[in-house]
């Protein structure tokens, strides 16, 4: 029967109850039913009156005017601001009959950029988003299932989350919320979201991303997480980029921290080691009990027992402790049309041995779910640098992560919020159940000022701080060209970011005990 029809609920309730009687856990993967346009609850959510007329996205139009030239523009209907950079010249209040006319100064700069900022419909950070999602999706399992059916169901799985938050997301109350949390008006600085407006750019982008994530947590992730936590249910995930894009969902690390079993898919060829390392790091730092692996998509007919074992061991070594095989199609025809067809089941010649293999994965998952993870190294996940700097990439961090792993060294990725809340003692950095002796920054061109301060305190307490690539040159304190940032970096490494770049250009090299050589 069609998913969520009355016949389907009857079948699902029976199936889940039977699982409960047999000691099995049942759950639902929202793949395809969780996407707008497929006729399920996201479309119901999309049509709710509470979201109608809400302005949830920014649109920024850019025009260039040479000095001394006159500029005339017609204003869009949902205007937020018209701002000129350099100079932060606000033109919004000069509007007459829906137009702005402005003459660029003849001195100061050869050209000016005029940014017209308006809003578009959207409700990604509407205050009721998470509450309404819970109402149309999760709550229905409680209302449609009886006690026996609910006893068998112990998880939900979020697959490729369709939550379109991005660098231009907005809300009707974002300006007020930003002012309250950051102490200044974001409106004249919004052009920094799409363009470099000078030294302050990194500060604006870091502040904006932090407030945007704060609101998305409060209004979307937290209500959904609490629904599961209050009922003792596992909430697993495999979401877009699988950790390889730190700014997916604006801040992948923080977004995925709201799942009780953060996780990832695994490819049919190659390894998901790095993706699982990101997932397990989130689980360690946010005290989530499980790290999920959805194994293995797009296998087709080419799997073997040896390959499955090699890949599942990569998962366990990377900190995984929950395995969900990707799919079983009872119909051979089903394996033809499905776009990511796995097959490691009854059709395979190694099927008689799979019971023993599955016992192995069960045993390893249990063992690795006990006790506390221990490692010495924290590697900064490069979210901050990528949020702040247009040119930043995660390549240095991930290349270094692979080098550490290939050298037999264990580590956790770390996000700035965990670092901010860390406790320091005796040369150790303590976060959740973890303790680190070494902090590594890989090409962290920009960081939150609180991150730099905490790293400096860690260094002063006897911790080891290492860096590769560019050193921090900007923060959310003032942006770039900040003497206080340079002072911290110089104490840590004996050289500021600017001096490092100059040294590279001249070929000069410096080593500092306890710091960095380049």
């Amino acid at each position: 029967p069609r998913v969520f029809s009355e016949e389907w609920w009857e079948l699902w309730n029976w199936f889940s109850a039977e699982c409960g009687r047999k000691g099995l856990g049942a759950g639902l993967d929202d793949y395809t039913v969780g996407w707008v346009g497929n006729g399920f609850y996201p479309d119901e959510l999309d049509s709710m009156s509470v979201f109608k007329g809400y302005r949830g996205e920014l649109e920024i139009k850019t025009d260039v005017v040479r000095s001394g030239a006159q500029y005339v523009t017609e204003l869009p209907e949902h205007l937020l601001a018209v701002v000129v950079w350099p100079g932060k010249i606000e033109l919004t209040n000069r509007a007459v009959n829906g137009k702005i006319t402005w003459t660029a100064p003849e001195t100061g700069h050869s050209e000016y950029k005029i940014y017209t900022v308006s809003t578009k419909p959207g409700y990604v950070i509407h205050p009721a988003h998470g509450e309404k999602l819970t109402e149309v999706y999760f709550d229905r399992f409680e209302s449609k299932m009886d006690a026996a059916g609910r006893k068998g169901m112990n998880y939900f799985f979020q697959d490729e989350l369709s939550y379109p938050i991005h660098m231009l997301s907005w809300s009707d109350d974002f300006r007020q919320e930003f002012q309250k949390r950051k102490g200044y008006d974001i409106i004249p600085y919004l052009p920094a979201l799409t363009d470099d407006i000078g030294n302050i750019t990194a500060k604006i982008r870091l502040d904006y991303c932090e407030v945007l994530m704060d609101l998305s947590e409060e209004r979307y992730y937290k209500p959904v997480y609490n629904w599961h936590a209050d009922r003792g249910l596992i909430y697993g995930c495999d979401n877009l980029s699988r950790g390889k894009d730190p700014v997916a969902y604006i801040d992948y690390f923080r977004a995925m921290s709201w799942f009780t079993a953060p996780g990832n898919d695994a490819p049919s060829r190659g390894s998901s080691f790095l993706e699982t390392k990101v997932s397990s790091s989130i689980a360690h730092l946010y005290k989530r009990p499980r790290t999920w692996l959805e194994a293995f998509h797009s296998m087709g007919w080419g799997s073997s027992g040896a390959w499955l074992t090699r890949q599942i061991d990569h998962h366990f070594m990377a900190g995984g402790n929950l395995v969900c095989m990707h799919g079983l199609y009872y119909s051979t025809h089903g394996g033809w049309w499905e776009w990511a067809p796995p097959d490691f089941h009854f059709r395979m010649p190694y099927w008689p041995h799979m019971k023993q293999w599955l016992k192995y994965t069960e045993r390893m998952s249990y063992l690795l779910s006990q006790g506390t993870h221990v490692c010495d190294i924290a590697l900064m996940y490069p979210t901050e640098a990528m949020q702040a700097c247009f040119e930043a990439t995660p390549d240095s961090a991930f290349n270094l992560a692979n080098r550490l792993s290939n050298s037999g060294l264990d580590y956790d990725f770390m996000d700035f919020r965990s670092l901010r809340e860390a406790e320091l003692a005796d040369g150790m950095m303590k976060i959740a159940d973890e303790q680190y002796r070494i902090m590594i920054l890989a090409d962290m061109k920009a960081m939150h000022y609180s991150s730099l301060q905490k790293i400096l305190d860690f260094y002063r307490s006897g911790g080891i701080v290492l860096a590769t690539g560019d050193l921090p040159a900007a923060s959310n304190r003032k942006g770039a060209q900040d003497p206080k940032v340079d002072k911290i970096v110089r104490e840590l490494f004996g050289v500021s970011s600017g001096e490092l770049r100059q040294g590279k250009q001249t070929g000069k090299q410096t080593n500092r005990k306890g710091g960095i050589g380049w």
Side-chain angles (χ1 to χ4, degrees):
R2 178 177 168 79
V3 178
F4 304 138
S5 65
E6 289 304 316
E7 294 80 10
W8 184 89
W9 282 114
E10 183 180 349
L11 178 63
W12 177 257
N13 193 56
W14 166 82
F15 173 76
S16 184
E18 287 299 305
C19 286
R21 277 191 279 272
K22 296 177 183 295
L24 301 173
L28 194 74
D29 180 334
D30 68 355
Y31 195 63
T32 72
V33 299
W35 301 345
V36 172
N38 283 359
F40 297 105
Y41 64 89
D43 294 316
E44 184 179 353
L45 196 70
D46 199 46
S47 65
M48 284 187 172
S49 60
V50 67
F51 300 129
K52 295 302 179 186
Y54 203 74
R55 313 302 293 178
E57 288 191 29
L58 297 174
E59 188 167 35
I60 302 179
K61 173 192 167 191
T62 306
D63 293 305
V64 178
V65 179
R66 298 196 63 80
S67 61
Q70 188 180 70
Y71 173 75
V72 180
T73 185
E74 292 190 4
L75 301 177
E77 180 182 359
H78 297 282
L79 179 71
L80 269 183
V82 180
V83 189
V84 180
W85 284 89
K88 199 185 74 169
I89 304 168
E90 299 187 54
L91 304 180
T92 317
N93 294 332
R94 303 187 188 190
V96 177
N97 297 324
K99 290 185 178 181
I100 283 180
T101 302
W102 178 73
T103 301
E106 294 187 4
T107 58
H109 302 278
S110 61
E111 64 180 29
Y112 294 83
K113 287 187 177 180
I114 303 176
Y115 301 90
T116 302
V117 187
S118 57
T119 61
K120 299 191 296 185
Y123 57 89
V124 67
I125 50 173
H126 187 286
H129 194 165
E131 172 196 335
K132 293 301 180 183
L133 170 63
T134 300
E135 188 179 295
V136 300
Y137 182 38
F138 302 109
D139 279 348
R140 285 181 182 162
F141 283 82
E142 288 196 330
S143 65
K144 294 285 189 180
M145 297 171 70
D146 58 27
R150 289 197 296 271
K151 186 176 179 181
M153 192 166 184
N154 73 348
Y155 78 88
F156 283 89
F157 187 73
Q158 173 69 71
D159 206 339
E160 300 189 10
L161 174 62
S162 180
Y163 181 64
I165 191 169
H166 57 90
M167 201 63 179
L168 293 175
S169 291
W170 189 251
S171 68
D172 282 347
D173 62 346
F174 191 91
R175 184 178 193 174
Q176 293 77 16
E177 288 292 336
F178 190 95
Q179 179 83 45
K180 182 171 65 177
R181 297 164 195 249
K182 293 300 179 182
Y184 66 94
D185 186 6
I186 184 63
I187 295 294
Y189 300 100
L190 287 173
L193 304 185
T194 58
D195 208 353
D196 186 345
I197 61 171
N199 288 337
I200 202 170
T201 301
K203 170 184 171 54
I204 303 304
R205 291 173 65 85
L206 285 169
D207 282 349
Y208 166 85
C209 288
E210 185 174 10
V211 172
L212 187 59
M213 276 307 300
D214 285 346
L215 292 175
S216 69
E217 285 181 331
E218 294 163 12
R219 298 173 175 190
Y220 179 82
Y221 294 109
K222 226 180 215 180
V224 176
Y225 170 83
N226 288 340
W227 190 92
H228 290 81
D230 291 346
R231 292 158 177 78
L233 296 174
I234 296 172
Y235 188 33
C237 70
D238 159 42
N239 285 322
L240 299 176
S241 87
R242 287 142 193 148
K244 300 290 284 291
D245 179 7
V247 291
Y249 308 109
I250 294 297
D251 185 331
Y252 184 88
F253 214 94
R254 284 181 65 178
M256 297 307 109
S257 73
W258 292 104
F259 292 86
T260 61
N264 49 273
D265 209 334
S268 61
R269 294 290 179 266
S271 170
S272 64
F273 184 91
L274 193 59
E275 293 92 328
T276 302
K277 205 74 177 105
V278 174
S279 299
S280 67
S281 297
I282 296 169
H284 297 157
L285 290 174
Y286 287 89
K287 300 184 79 168
R288 305 302 186 223
R290 310 300 296 273
T291 301
W292 191 298
L293 180 75
E294 188 183 7
F296 299 88
H297 74 73
S298 305
M299 176 60 66
W301 300 96
S303 64
S304 70
W307 187 90
L308 290 174
T309 303
R310 186 165 62 250
Q311 296 307 320
I312 208 68
D313 285 349
H314 280 191
H315 170 65
F316 291 137
M317 287 187 287
N321 57 18
L322 189 157
V323 179
C324 165
M325 301 307 280
H326 190 280
L328 163 60
Y329 301 94
Y330 282 101
S331 159
T332 305
H333 181 64
W336 292 347
W337 59 257
E338 220 286 337
W339 60 81
D343 207 302
F344 19 71
H345 298 98
F346 58 85
R347 302 177 182 86
M348 288 300 178
Y350 55 81
W351 178 247
H353 308 289
M354 281 298 286
K355 187 171 184 177
Q356 189 69 21
W357 187 89
L358 291 168
K359 283 184 176 293
Y360 167 68
T361 67
E362 182 180 1
R363 189 166 60 249
M364 288 297 294
S365 295
Y366 171 78
L367 287 171
L368 292 170
S369 300
Q370 312 307 305
T372 301
H373 174 251
V374 177
C375 76
D376 289 329
I377 301 172
L379 173 58
M380 206 69 198
Y381 196 61
T383 306
E384 295 161 274
M386 294 182 65
Q387 288 176 343
C389 306
F390 292 100
E391 73 281 7
T393 74
D395 296 349
S396 292
F398 292 152
N399 289 340
L400 179 58
N402 284 326
R403 290 180 64 186
L404 291 171
S405 298
N406 291 337
S407 300
L409 296 171
D410 194 15
Y411 57 91
D412 274 328
F413 288 106
M414 180 182 291
D415 71 320
F416 88 89
R417 184 169 60 180
S418 298
L419 176 60
R420 184 172 61 194
E421 297 173 2
E423 296 179 2
L424 306 177
D426 304 322
M428 302 286 286
M429 183 182 295
K430 300 179 180 180
I431 308 167
D433 294 326
E434 301 289 328
Q435 298 188 69
Y436 306 102
R437 297 181 181 276
I438 300 166
M439 165 62 74
I440 305 179
L441 312 180
D443 212 23
M444 291 297 293
K445 296 174 172 64
M447 302 183 73
H448 282 266
Y449 193 67
S450 62
S451 299
L452 292 168
Q453 289 176 309
K454 184 58 68 77
I455 290 169
L456 180 61
D457 291 343
F458 174 60
Y459 176 72
R460 287 173 173 173
S461 74
I464 299 170
V465 182
L466 307 173
T468 67
D470 283 343
L471 297 175
S475 79
N476 66 329
R477 198 186 86 88
K478 288 181 66 176
Q481 302 294 321
D482 184 352
K484 289 199 172 185
V485 169
D486 287 346
K487 184 178 179 181
I488 291 175
V489 173
R490 193 176 289 108
E491 182 174 345
L492 287 170
F493 304 116
V495 60
S496 71
S497 176
E499 292 164 345
L500 174 62
R501 284 194 299 271
Q502 185 178 3
K504 285 180 177 179
Q505 291 168 1
T506 62
K508 177 183 176 184
Q509 294 193 13
T510 298
N511 287 291
R512 178 173 180 194
K513 186 178 180 181
I516 180 175
W518 81 87

